[in-house]
């Protein structure tokens, strides 16, 4: 019997900013908290938030966050793509769990997204409203702690709701809480 | 429920019935109502019976799920999504396809071949095919010849249906845009040199489309290892699913113009078909019930193992060919060698029209086979039977040695030579 038998998609919707893609959350058939530090060691570009706990990483162009009882995914190509990636993730989780005796768990944050990855989740309008000449510059300043997510005004426009959710998932992973009044990401 | 006697008339009693049900493998969980007098040997048309799991999967979907896939976020809709994904995954595994997204579902192999041919060929293109093709290949080619000015070259096959890949290579031109060929003939069962043809295609940078209607599920095929670009399959033959299911594998990096445009679910904002597979080619509500059955059928094949299925069918075919070789007055077409063909055999009884042979097999012996041209006039021209057609016997995984022996005996009677025939089964 594998550690994790199944992951079922529980909710799916089109990405508002990218109607050709979908975002979703899925429910694992068991609690994943104990395996997260091991996954953090195995997925070398993941960001682990031990207080959540949650583990965030990119799978190609998809943003995935694993919580103990929930997995979120943004920018999947379609449901077929989502199922295929969830199958991959299930196998990875089971393989990691089986090999946990030989893996040193990592409990700290060991990776931060790059400016380009943050930039991917910004509206990319280069509107300069934040005071930076470009959105890429804003992303760099955000990484350096010189700007806050709330300073990106277009991000809070209704048409960027999908980007906004995903954006706060990725920046939460390296320490930025969601702004007051903004619903926490699913699963938190 | 009409019983078999009413349906078929009083069957001629032939020895060997008693072991048939046991031999057929009732423990395998077969669905269908095969009786002692029904011997189904038209598996090249569609396989029968189906594994019980196929019927169960379809009934479960109809009773308990019912929702459309890719069209909603409620639990039943997501369950339908998952059923479709698992079916796609099972088929991908059977074909040796790593990326499940590259498998597109269609209504049948014919639709898949139309999608590939019409989605790829443009005016001025040249296409190379073989002289053993089914109309599912030939008619779409003739259609684009007429509507788009595409030119066609047909590589000549030998009388047993075999193809020398060099004969195909010799036909290639600078504007050859596609090679299309069957994996195995639906008339003679002849296995075609797909690996060699794929190597030729790859060396020239020409896409190759393979029609696997007769091979998917009954003969191993490793699509990615062979480097095939497009592979059409049907769900209701070797994959054991229901009719109305099929699909097309499309290699990554190769785009086709969709055959149809329309709704695909979650990406409704887009004014054109989405770029992503499989949605790009799956406009309209999917046949989820059929796909549920196809998934169960493909999983059955995976569990049994294609090699094991192939081995069993080859054994039955050997027995059939040996038996037929003992009957004077038969013309048997094709390689007559289980290593070089799938379990499909066409034949004629000298002096008896094919339709009469098939009809007598059915009415007098309860043996179901198909006579005529089998939607493949090209192949019948090649083997020399375009005028008279032939009787096609196509065996399946659930046929038994007893079935084969009864078929041989029945043909011997129809040929009027039973007294001259000492069958293998009678000697053992």
């Amino acid at each position: 019997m594998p550690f994790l038998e199944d992951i079922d998609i529980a909710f799916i919707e089109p990405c508002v900013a990218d109607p050709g893609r979908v975002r979703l959350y899925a429910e694992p058939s068991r609690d994943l908290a104990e395996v997260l530090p091991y996954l953090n060691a195995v997925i070398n570009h993941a960001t682990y938030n031990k207080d959540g706990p949650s583990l965030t990483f990119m799978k190609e162009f998809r943003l995935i966050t694993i919580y103990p009882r929930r997995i979120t995914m943004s920018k999947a190509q379609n449901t077929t793509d989502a199922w295929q990636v969830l199958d991959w993730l299930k196998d990875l989780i089971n393989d990691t769990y089986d090999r946990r005796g030989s893996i040193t768990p990592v409990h700290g944050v060991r990776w931060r997204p790059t400016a380009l990855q943050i930039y991917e989740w910004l509206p990319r309008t280069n509107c300069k409203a934040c005071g930076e000449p470009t959105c890429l510059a804003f992303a760099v300043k955000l990484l350096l702690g010189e700007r806050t997510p709330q300073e990106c005004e277009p991000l809070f426009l209704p048409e960027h709701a999908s980007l906004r959710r995903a954006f706060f998932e990725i920046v939460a992973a390296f320490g930025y809480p969601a702004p007051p009044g903004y619903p926490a990401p699913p699963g938190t | 429920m009409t019983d078999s006697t009413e349906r078929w008339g009083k069957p001629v009693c032939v020895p060997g019935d008693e072991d048939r049900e046991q031999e057929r493998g009732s423990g395998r969980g077969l669905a269908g109502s095969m009786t002692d007098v029904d011997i189904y040997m038209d598996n090249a048309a569609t396989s029968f019976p189906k594994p019980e799991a196929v019927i169960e999967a379809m009934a479960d979907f109809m009773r308990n799920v019912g929702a459309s896939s890719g069209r909603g976020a409620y639990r039943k809709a997501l369950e339908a999504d998952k059923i479709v994904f698992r079916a796609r995954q099972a088929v991908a595994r059977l074909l040796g396809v790593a990326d499940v997204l590259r498998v597109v579902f269609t209504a049948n192999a014919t639709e898949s071949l139309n999608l590939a041919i019409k989605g790829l060929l443009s005016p001025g293109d040249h296409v190379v095919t073989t002289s053993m093709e089914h109309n599912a290949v030939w008619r779409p080619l003739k259609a684009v010849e007429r509507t788009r000015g595409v030119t066609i070259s047909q590589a000549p096959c030998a009388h047993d249906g075999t193809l020398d890949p060099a004969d195909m290579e010799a036909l290639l031109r600078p504007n050859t845009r596609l090679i299309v060929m069957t994996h195995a003939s639906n008339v003679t069962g002849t296995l075609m040199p797909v690996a060699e043809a794929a190597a030729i295609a790859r060396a020239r940078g020409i896409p190759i489309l393979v029609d696997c209607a007769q091979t998917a599920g009954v003969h191993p095929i490793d699509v990615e290892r062979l480097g095939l670009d497009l592979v059409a399959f049907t769900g209701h033959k070797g994959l054991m699913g229901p009719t109305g299911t099929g699909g097309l594998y499309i290699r990554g990096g190769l785009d086709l113009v969709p055959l149809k445009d329309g709704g695909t679910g979650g990406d409704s904002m887009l004014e054109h078909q989405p770029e992503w597979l499989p949605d790009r080619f799956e406009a309209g509500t999917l046949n989820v019930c059929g796909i549920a059955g196809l998934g169960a059928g493909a999983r059955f094949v995976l569990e049994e193992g294609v090699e094991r299925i192939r081995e069993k069918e080859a054994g039955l075919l050997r027995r059939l060919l040996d038996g037929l070789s003992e009957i004077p007055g038969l013309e048997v077409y094709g390689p007559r060698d289980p290593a070089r063909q799938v379990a499909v055999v066409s034949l004629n009884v000298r002096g008896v029209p094919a339709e009469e042979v098939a009809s007598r097999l059915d009415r007098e012996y309860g043996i179901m086979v198909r006579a005529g041209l089998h939607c493949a006039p090209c192949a019948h021209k090649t083997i020399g039977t375009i005028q008279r057609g032939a009787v096609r016997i196509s065996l399946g995984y659930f046929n038994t040695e007893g079935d084969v022996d009864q078929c041989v005996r029945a043909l011997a009677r129809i040929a009027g030579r039973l007294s001259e025939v000492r069958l293998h089964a009678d000697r053992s």
Side-chain angles (χ1 to χ4, degrees):
Chain A
M1 188 73 88
F3 168 74
L4 177 61
E5 282 189 67
D6 214 356
I7 303 174
D8 261 324
I9 296 176
F11 179 75
I12 193 160
E13 64 178 354
C15 282
V16 177
D18 190 347
R21 307 269 184 119
V22 294
R23 68 174 259 117
L24 57 105
Y25 70 81
E27 291 167 347
S29 56
R30 65 178 293 173
D31 193 300
L32 301 176
E34 64 174 305
V35 81
L36 289 181
Y38 295 94
L39 284 172
N40 188 28
V42 168
I43 305 170
N44 57 19
H45 59 282
T47 299
Y48 182 53
N49 170 13
K50 67 178 165 43
D51 298 326
S54 68
L55 186 77
T56 299
F57 61 97
M58 302 291 294
K59 166 78 173 157
E60 288 99 31
F61 44 82
R62 310 164 198 88
L63 177 72
I64 298 171
T65 301
I66 309 175
Y67 304 91
R69 283 289 185 181
R70 184 165 285 197
I71 295 165
T72 66
M73 189 190 308
S74 296
K75 284 209 167 186
Q77 290 173 15
N78 47 41
T79 48
T80 313
D81 178 51
W83 281 114
Q84 182 160 246
V85 171
L86 288 173
D87 260 12
W88 165 83
L89 184 58
K90 185 180 77 176
D91 291 345
L92 177 72
I93 290 169
N94 282 327
D95 178 63
T96 302
Y97 183 81
D98 290 346
R99 295 190 300 113
R100 67 193 183 284
S102 59
I103 298 170
T104 305
V106 178
H107 294 274
V109 173
R110 56 193 295 275
W111 178 84
R112 289 157 67 84
T114 65
L116 271 177
Q117 283 166 323
I118 294 173
Y119 173 72
E120 277 280 310
W121 299 94
L122 289 170
R124 289 180 283 175
T125 53
N126 293 330
C127 70
K128 302 182 177 63
C130 62
E132 297 297 334
T134 63
C135 292
L136 185 58
F138 176 78
V140 172
K141 294 288 177 69
L142 193 73
L143 264 181
L144 296 171
E146 295 174 15
R147 295 279 177 197
T148 64
Q150 286 84 343
E151 289 178 90
C152 176
E153 290 177 14
L155 193 61
F156 293 85
L157 295 174
E159 61 263 38
H160 293 310
S162 176
L163 277 180
R164 190 161 66 236
R165 287 200 196 111
F167 179 82
F168 280 112
E169 281 175 24
I170 196 169
V171 297
F174 66 98
Y176 284 112
Y182 183 78
T188 57
Chain B
M1 181 95 181
T2 313
D3 73 18
S4 59
T5 308
E6 284 175 53
R7 264 186 291 155
W8 307 114
K10 189 169 172 56
V12 173
C13 187
V14 280
D17 280 354
E18 57 276 8
D19 297 330
R20 281 185 49 225
E21 284 312 306
Q22 195 180 348
E23 192 189 348
R24 196 185 300 284
S26 50
R28 277 185 204 294
L30 289 186
S33 56
M34 296 288 271
T35 71
D36 281 351
V37 294
D38 286 344
I39 297 179
Y40 184 79
M41 290 192 170
D42 196 15
N43 289 278
T46 193
S47 62
F48 186 82
K50 306 294 185 188
E52 187 61 32
V54 171
I55 286 69
E56 278 171 11
M58 295 175 74
D60 182 62
F61 172 79
M62 292 300 280
R63 278 201 193 94
N64 303 318
V65 184
S68 186
S69 68
R71 299 294 193 277
Y74 50 94
R75 282 168 301 155
K76 293 292 186 186
L78 292 168
E79 205 174 326
D81 270 358
K82 191 174 184 180
I83 287 170
V84 172
F85 175 75
R86 292 291 174 221
R88 215 184 289 278
Q89 187 179 45
V91 171
R93 200 168 290 165
L94 266 174
L95 297 178
V97 172
D99 185 356
V100 176
L101 276 71
R102 309 307 305 183
V103 175
V104 170
F105 284 133
T106 62
N108 43 48
T110 298
E111 186 188 333
S112 307
L113 290 161
N114 271 268
L115 166 57
I117 289 168
K118 294 174 180 170
L120 193 71
L121 294 174
S122 304
D125 285 344
H126 172 245
V127 58
V128 172
T129 186
T130 83
S131 71
M132 286 301 286
E133 299 305 314
H134 188 278
N135 271 344
V137 167
W138 190 240
R139 286 183 174 170
L141 288 179
K142 292 303 280 183
V144 292
E145 180 186 53
R146 187 162 59 184
T147 59
R148 302 181 192 176
V150 168
T151 49
I152 309 167
S153 297
Q154 233 181 349
C157 298
H159 287 306
D160 63 359
T162 52
L163 171 71
D164 181 346
D167 289 339
M168 174 173 264
E169 190 170 20
L171 296 172
L172 298 177
R173 301 176 190 168
N175 65 332
T176 304
R177 177 73 176 110
L178 182 67
I179 293 174
V180 194
M181 65 192 297
T182 186
H183 190 196
S185 163
N186 72 306
V187 175
T188 57
T190 313
L191 281 160
M192 305 300 266
V194 165
E196 292 83 348
I200 291 167
R202 198 164 48 246
R204 305 285 194 104
I206 300 168
I208 180 167
L209 162 63
V210 179
D211 172 6
C212 285
Q214 294 301 331
T215 51
V218 299
H219 190 83
I221 181 156
D222 195 333
V223 164
E224 291 187 354
R225 193 180 55 76
L226 289 175
L228 305 181
D229 300 278
L230 295 155
V231 175
F233 62 90
T234 183
H236 66 95
K237 295 180 184 178
L239 296 181
M240 309 275 188
T243 50
T245 60
L248 180 69
Y249 159 78
I250 305 170
R251 176 189 38 88
L254 183 65
D255 191 30
L256 302 172
V257 178
L259 203 56
K260 54 194 181 181
D261 302 271
T264 51
D267 44 23
S268 305
M269 288 283 283
L270 303 173
E271 290 196 319
H272 297 281
Q273 288 302 106
E275 289 175 18
W276 304 118
L277 268 66
D279 305 33
R280 180 168 177 73
F281 303 106
E282 291 183 353
T285 299
L286 279 179
N287 174 12
V288 186
C289 179
I291 291 169
L294 168 58
R299 285 188 289 275
F300 175 88
V301 172
L302 281 167
E303 281 162 22
E304 295 289 306
V306 176
E307 288 289 354
R308 182 170 154 190
I309 290 171
R310 161 92 178 137
E311 205 175 299
K312 178 177 175 190
E313 291 194 3
L316 292 173
L317 177 62
R318 164 56 57 210
R319 194 177 182 91
L320 176 66
L321 290 167
D322 286 349
L324 296 177
S325 71
E326 296 178 78
I327 305 174
L330 288 193
E331 286 172 31
V332 180
Y333 311 105
R336 288 178 282 178
D337 176 2
R340 296 164 61 211
Q341 69 187 95
V342 294
V344 176
V345 178
S346 281
L347 57 86
N348 272 306
V349 178
R350 220 163 283 151
V352 189
E355 287 73 15
E356 187 182 326
V357 174
S359 175
R360 285 189 63 188
L361 282 173
D362 179 26
R363 282 182 293 107
E364 297 173 18
Y365 302 94
I367 297 171
M368 291 165 267
V369 299
R370 187 169 155 200
L373 295 180
H374 313 102
C375 301
C378 301
H380 278 280
K381 262 183 217 156
T382 302
I383 67 172
T385 50
I386 187 66
Q387 296 302 329
R388 61 200 291 212
V391 177
R392 183 183 68 184
I393 301 167
S394 49
L395 306 175
Y397 188 51
F398 300 122
N399 280 127
T400 65
E401 291 186 348
D403 292 346
V404 170
D405 293 345
Q406 292 201 49
C407 180
V408 170
R409 283 191 197 95
L411 279 166
R413 281 202 177 96
I414 291 169
R417 308 289 186 134
L418 187 62
S419 59
E420 297 174 26
V421 177
R422 290 188 66 241
L423 294 169
H424 177 79
D426 298 332
R427 291 197 295 266
S428 57

